[in-house]
Amino acid sequence: MKFKSTSIPEVNIISPIVHYDDRGYFFESFKEKIFYKNELSYKFVQDNEVKSQKGVLRGLHYQLNYPQGKLVRAVVGTIIDVAVDIRKGSPTFGKSVMVKLSAENKKMLYIPEGFAHGYLVLSEESIVNYKCTNIFDKNDEYGIKWDDKKLNINWNYSSPIISKKDLNLPILDEQEFLPKY
């Protein structure tokens, strides 16, 4: 695995070493020892899989009492994955990282605890898998409006499909509860 730090040092793009032959391919999508060596959280307690159609935008979500670090990859299709630093006092507070993840490029995005996460589906459909460092707790669910002007995220998509819940999320400046740096 190759680890590449982004403009927010705690967020990493991970490119697996893929072994191809006439049967197909093989790669390691996670190896505890390598994550430890690269000083990334390696204790994952929950895996999630989400299927979506083209144009679906999910997020920007986070948890506060049970913060979730995530290792995200597109198993089918292509997505634009976004991590936003929402840690009060962080030098990169309000900044984001945007990465194209696809079944073809096999890249993964490591998003540590203290970040909001969301993605937009670019392909006809996608299946996204992500490992989480903490459990999902419906009572600890928070979010930031996907098109918050202060975040300045260019989704480059005219009319995404967004859940009613996500459409009604507050902007970053209206958040009452944010993690500390």
Side-chain angles (χ1 to χ4, degrees):
M1 283 182 227
K2 297 176 187 172
F3 292 76
K4 180 182 174 193
S5 190
T6 65
S7 59
I8 302 175
E10 299 91 340
V11 178
N12 282 259
I13 300 169
I14 302 165
S15 298
I17 298 168
V18 183
H19 305 278
Y20 293 93
D21 65 22
D22 57 345
R23 300 168 296 166
Y25 67 83
F26 167 85
F27 68 89
E28 293 175 340
S29 60
F30 172 75
K31 194 169 194 176
E32 179 181 304
K33 185 167 88 173
I34 294 173
F35 272 63
Y36 176 79
K37 180 181 170 188
N38 284 276
E39 299 179 358
L40 300 178
S41 180
Y42 54 86
K43 182 186 175 218
F44 294 105
V45 299
Q46 180 174 326
D47 279 16
N48 299 322
E49 184 170 292
V50 184
K51 183 177 180 180
S52 304
Q53 64 185 357
K54 185 175 187 165
V56 167
L57 194 152
R58 296 181 183 269
L60 301 160
H61 303 140
Y62 68 97
Q63 293 188 164
L64 192 61
N65 297 312
Y66 299 97
Q68 291 182 313
K70 296 176 181 175
L71 178 61
V72 184
R73 73 184 182 105
V75 180
V76 172
T78 303
I79 65 170
I80 294 295
D81 204 40
V82 175
V84 180
D85 188 350
I86 57 169
R87 301 169 297 168
K88 285 184 187 175
S90 168
T92 55
F93 179 80
K95 303 288 185 218
S96 62
V97 170
M98 180 180 277
V99 179
K100 185 183 280 189
L101 305 179
S102 70
E104 188 175 281
N105 72 20
K106 297 176 185 31
K107 289 181 181 179
M108 296 173 275
L109 188 63
Y110 176 79
I111 305 163
E113 295 175 359
F115 285 70
H117 173 246
Y119 64 89
L120 171 69
V121 179
L122 300 178
S123 53
E124 289 305 311
E125 72 174 11
S126 73
I127 296 177
V128 174
N129 182 278
Y130 54 100
K131 301 175 106 32
C132 301
T133 60
N134 215 328
I135 61 165
F136 172 75
D137 183 339
K138 187 160 184 57
N139 297 318
D140 192 33
E141 194 175 16
Y142 297 92
I144 300 165
K145 192 164 173 98
W146 69 280
D147 63 350
D148 182 340
K149 297 204 184 324
K150 187 171 184 176
L151 296 179
N152 197 30
I153 299 170
N154 182 4
W155 295 97
N156 200 24
Y157 202 85
S158 59
S159 53
I161 302 164
I162 302 168
S163 72
K164 288 179 185 174
K165 179 185 81 172
D166 287 356
L167 282 172
N168 293 311
L169 292 172
I171 60 173
L172 183 60
D173 285 346
E174 295 173 352
Q175 294 295 321
E176 293 182 45
F177 305 103
L178 290 172
K180 291 186 171 81
Y181 178 62

